Amino acid sequence: MTRRRHRLPFGAELLETGEVDFRLWAPSLRTVELVLGEGERRLPMTDLGGGWFACVTSLAGAGTLYRFLLPEGLGVPDPASRFQPQGVHGPSEVIDPAAYLWGDGDWRGRPWEESVIQEIHVGSFSPEGSFAGVEARLDHFLALGVTALEIMPVADFPGGRNWGYDGALWYAPDSTYGRPEDFKRLVDAAHRRGIQVFLDVVYNHFGPEGNYLGLYAGPFFDPRRHTPWGAAIRYDGPDSAPVRDFVLHNALYWLEEYHLDGLRLDAVDTIVDRSEEPLLAALARVVGSGPGGEREIHLILENDHNSAHYLARDGTGRAVRFRGQWNDDPHHALHVILTGEEGGYYQDYRERPLEHLGRSLAEGFSYQGEASAWRQGRHRGEASGHLPPVAFVSFLQNHDQIGNRPLGDRLGAIVDPEAMRAATTLLLLAPAIPLLFMGEEWDSRSPFPFFCDFEPALRAAVAEGRRRGFRHIAHFADPGIIAAMPDPAAEATWVSARLDWDRLQAPEGASRFVLFRELLAVRRREIIPRLGCIGAHAGRWQIDAEGVLRVDWRIGEGERLQVVANLSAETRRGPTGEGRLLFATQVERASGEIPPWFVSWHLDGA
């Protein structure tokens, strides 16, 4: 059995002496007090200089509640709190990280190429809405063929329900999901089954409620810069070292103390840092030289700029900094093909969606420096054909692409089943790393609308802001759709997002699950062993005169992986592929006809 902890230079750290060392960076203040329990003890904190205050005391231990008392009398939680039993506005709790005994001591992770990722939201994944609820269903992922869970953010958020991107206390797993040891128990159990666990982290902003940093650490934020969600975090300039350390230690904390296998960094394109070593480079460095030097650690980006240089590989093909990036291009192109929707960001793909899809399958990004109409003509992206397909994470659905719809309806509810079968076959056997959204494998019809539980004034502003945003997207602007939008703050909205596990046992859900399991078995047997042999500029694509998409990848010296796709409701004519058939959505026709919504995968050569 193993004990794990990441020592923090701030927050509440248990010492070998039995004392607790409390530290807070409060450069906007001259004095700070430490309050223990429910206010029965107040202890002065020593000014260490540089904005740091400290108090070492034997009056606290594991389980002690505490706050930091500001001069005007307001008690605030520890920004590095490991647990908030009463939520973001309540006291913090001293946690002993070494109290949990790990049973996965020989776990070293899995190679990135083996990743088949499923994104889940802890609060709506199971009826329990907890870490324990996920743990109880780990065997479901084994049966499906998923090798990695990607958990939406768990950092403590306001209220009892939230997507997680409004986290206010980045080190504290939200108490509605369970205690820290419950999260550790989930990770431990996943590892014993050979399943990796990734965590979504948000380093571009704090949530709009429960973040008290501005009251005592003004330099944490840059008033000259703004993100779509609020004040920008100041990662560069004078006195930014404590801010950067707060993030770097947070990444190491999740990877070391919770033994996670990777992090997905949310919307890094909104992080501004002009330091000599920008935050992303520093984060990749400390992770690579730390836990990444001992086991497989995978860092994944969400980056609207399509910055291919972050995904660079060395001479052996191994990622230098980041393993992969969520790739919107193939999703957006395929979504236009499947639904006909062309508003919002889909406008960049409406003219030649099949070409965008072909290029992104073969080369990674479709936008590699071209002008984007959605971005007011700004050029987007960098050349990416030199990168291996595994530098990209592809998906048909994720939390954004479902939740960024007025009703939060899933793709299966609006797309023909045969079209969904074709799109699924394309996703799961393509060389890029596939990502599923929870319930997708049984064609869940549970919506995933945006939900939150803010204080009353903020609730109204969020609801109106979402209604206003959708009025400017043509296919959502219908007054009836806007009127039907669920209230994000209503408990019923969150309840509607809970997965419909009963559908997995129904004929439609069961057959869908069988398809996913069969495709992932083909991927495990035929695709994954060959991914390390796909080199630079290996992909080629074409659309023939009939409108059939053909993409192939050179694999090593003598093999070729090929897909043929008729992504339309019309019958086409032409060859359906060369070499050994790996999988086809329908029986191939000797007459040379390619049926509607047909996808076939072939392996040709040695």
Side-chain angles (χ1 to χ4, degrees):
M1 306 296 279
T2 306
R3 301 179 190 271
R4 296 189 171 98
R5 70 180 300 167
H6 175 76
R7 291 194 176 276
L8 296 173
F10 35 68
E13 284 292 300
L14 282 163
L15 304 178
E16 287 74 8
T17 61
E19 299 171 298
V20 181
D21 184 359
F22 295 91
R23 290 178 183 253
L24 177 71
W25 188 59
S28 300
L29 303 180
R30 293 185 176 180
T31 60
V32 182
E33 287 185 288
L34 173 67
V35 178
L36 300 179
E38 295 298 333
E40 56 266 24
R41 286 188 178 274
R42 291 170 54 169
L43 305 175
M45 299 189 74
T46 301
D47 186 345
L48 302 178
W52 288 99
F53 294 84
C55 178
V56 178
T57 178
S58 60
L59 299 175
T64 299
L65 299 180
Y66 68 99
R67 297 177 191 257
F68 296 118
L69 187 65
L70 308 188
E72 65 272 21
L74 177 65
V76 298
D78 181 355
S81 167
R82 281 181 165 93
F83 190 54
Q84 292 292 119
Q86 299 172 33
V88 297
H89 301 297
S92 305
E93 179 181 330
V94 177
I95 295 293
D96 178 6
Y100 181 81
L101 291 174
W102 289 82
D104 66 347
D106 60 349
W107 174 258
R108 295 295 179 268
R110 300 184 64 152
W112 174 241
E113 291 78 9
E114 296 180 3
S115 296
V116 174
I117 307 171
Q118 181 140 36
E119 184 187 22
I120 66 171
H121 177 266
V122 173
S124 52
F125 174 77
S126 71
E128 299 87 350
S130 64
F131 295 125
V134 179
E135 182 188 350
R137 290 160 179 79
L138 287 174
D139 289 337
H140 168 79
F141 302 114
L142 272 185
L144 177 60
V146 162
T147 66
L149 300 184
E150 182 175 312
I151 298 177
M152 290 172 64
V154 300
D156 202 54
F157 50 75
R161 53 194 179 270
N162 195 282
W163 271 18
Y165 298 90
D166 296 305
L169 296 166
W170 290 358
Y171 287 78
D174 195 87
S175 60
T176 60
Y177 299 157
R179 292 185 57 83
E181 54 267 29
D182 296 319
F183 190 15
K184 294 174 183 178
R185 191 173 295 112
L186 164 60
V187 178
D188 204 355
H191 287 171
R192 291 198 299 272
R193 290 168 172 80
I195 298 174
Q196 306 167 94
V197 183
F198 306 152
L199 179 65
D200 206 340
V201 291
V202 182
Y203 295 146
N204 49 55
H205 76 290
F206 286 87
E209 181 186 344
N211 170 30
Y212 293 93
L213 279 165
L215 298 179
Y216 56 83
F220 214 100
F221 302 97
D222 188 340
R224 301 166 301 170
R225 301 170 181 166
H226 297 276
T227 75
W229 312 283
I233 300 170
R234 190 169 65 90
Y235 289 124
D236 55 12
D239 302 322
S240 61
V243 181
R244 294 166 65 87
D245 284 347
F246 191 81
V247 172
L248 299 180
H249 277 284
N250 184 259
L252 293 172
Y253 162 79
W254 290 118
L255 295 171
E256 295 178 347
E257 200 157 295
Y258 285 82
H259 213 210
L260 292 169
D261 302 284
L263 303 173
R264 181 258 192 190
L265 279 62
D266 179 70
V268 299
D269 52 284
T270 63
I271 295 175
V272 178
D273 183 0
R274 297 187 174 89
S275 304
E276 184 175 343
E277 184 185 41
L279 179 72
L280 293 182
L283 191 150
R285 174 179 54 78
V286 299
V287 169
S289 61
E294 302 170 356
R295 57 191 172 95
E296 293 281 359
I297 298 290
H298 309 304
L299 298 178
I300 309 163
L301 298 178
E302 182 191 30
N303 184 359
D304 185 66
H305 291 163
N306 281 6
S307 303
H309 66 273
Y310 285 125
L311 308 175
R313 265 52 183 172
D314 62 18
T316 68
R318 188 170 178 81
V320 177
R321 289 178 175 171
F322 297 95
R323 290 283 198 268
Q325 177 182 314
W326 274 27
N327 192 0
D328 283 337
D329 284 351
H331 169 271
H332 291 358
L334 194 51
H335 188 92
V336 171
I337 293 169
L338 294 173
T339 68
E341 294 176 354
E342 300 178 343
Y345 41 64
Y346 295 125
Q347 66 184 270
D348 281 347
Y349 305 82
R350 64 188 172 194
E351 292 184 7
R352 300 180 304 280
L354 200 58
E355 293 182 22
H356 283 291
L357 178 60
R359 190 184 195 197
S360 58
L361 286 172
E363 302 177 18
F365 296 136
S366 179
Y367 275 85
Q368 300 181 32
E370 291 78 9
S372 162
W374 170 245
R375 296 163 185 81
Q376 293 77 49
R378 293 197 303 273
H379 293 268
R380 175 179 179 239
E382 299 170 355
S384 58
H386 61 289
L387 295 170
V390 293
F392 306 92
V393 178
S394 296
F395 40 82
L396 291 179
Q397 304 181 78
N398 60 39
H399 72 273
D400 274 332
Q401 305 310 332
I402 301 171
N404 287 343
R405 302 176 62 79
L407 308 180
D409 46 345
R410 292 173 180 251
L411 204 55
I414 59 175
V415 172
D416 178 82
E418 288 305 309
M420 284 297 296
R421 180 180 175 88
T424 299
T425 302
L426 197 60
L427 169 74
L428 295 186
L429 297 186
I433 301 297
L435 177 139
L436 312 175
F437 187 70
M438 59 180 193
E440 185 177 346
E441 68 272 26
W442 68 77
D443 193 22
S444 170
R445 296 305 168 89
S446 298
F448 194 72
F450 178 73
F451 50 82
C452 59
D453 187 21
F454 296 135
E455 53 87 19
L458 194 54
R459 292 180 185 182
V462 169
E464 176 52 33
R466 287 185 66 79
R467 286 192 294 268
R468 186 169 56 248
F470 284 119
R471 290 191 185 104
H472 299 291
I473 300 177
H475 54 267
F476 292 144
D478 182 280
I481 294 177
I482 301 299
M485 285 181 62
D487 178 2
E491 185 176 3
T493 304
W494 169 65
V495 170
S496 74
R498 289 178 178 169
L499 278 182
D500 48 358
W501 282 90
D502 289 344
R503 183 175 170 83
L504 176 57
Q505 308 305 323
E508 299 89 347
S511 63
R512 177 79 167 170
F513 184 83
V514 169
L515 171 65
F516 271 68
R517 188 170 60 186
E518 182 179 357
L519 285 167
L520 290 177
V522 174
R523 182 179 187 86
R524 183 169 59 251
R525 183 178 66 247
E526 303 284 0
I527 307 299
I528 288 175
R530 294 176 166 88
L531 290 178
C533 301
I534 302 180
H537 302 288
R540 297 182 304 171
W541 65 279
Q542 65 171 350
I543 300 171
D544 67 19
E546 288 281 326
V548 175
L549 174 64
R550 302 175 187 275
V551 187
D552 62 58
W553 297 263
R554 297 188 312 277
I555 302 178
E557 296 298 325
E559 288 186 309
R560 181 174 58 133
L561 179 66
Q562 182 184 58
V563 63
V564 176
N566 174 15
L567 300 178
S568 76
E570 306 295 328
T571 298
R572 309 295 189 190
R573 297 191 63 82
T576 54
E578 301 173 354
R580 178 164 59 93
L581 177 65
L582 301 181
F583 190 90
T585 53
Q586 303 173 50
V587 176
E588 298 188 30
R589 301 180 184 179
S591 63
E593 289 187 345
I594 304 178
W597 300 113
F598 175 85
V599 174
S600 66
W601 285 92
H602 298 256
L603 190 64
D604 189 26

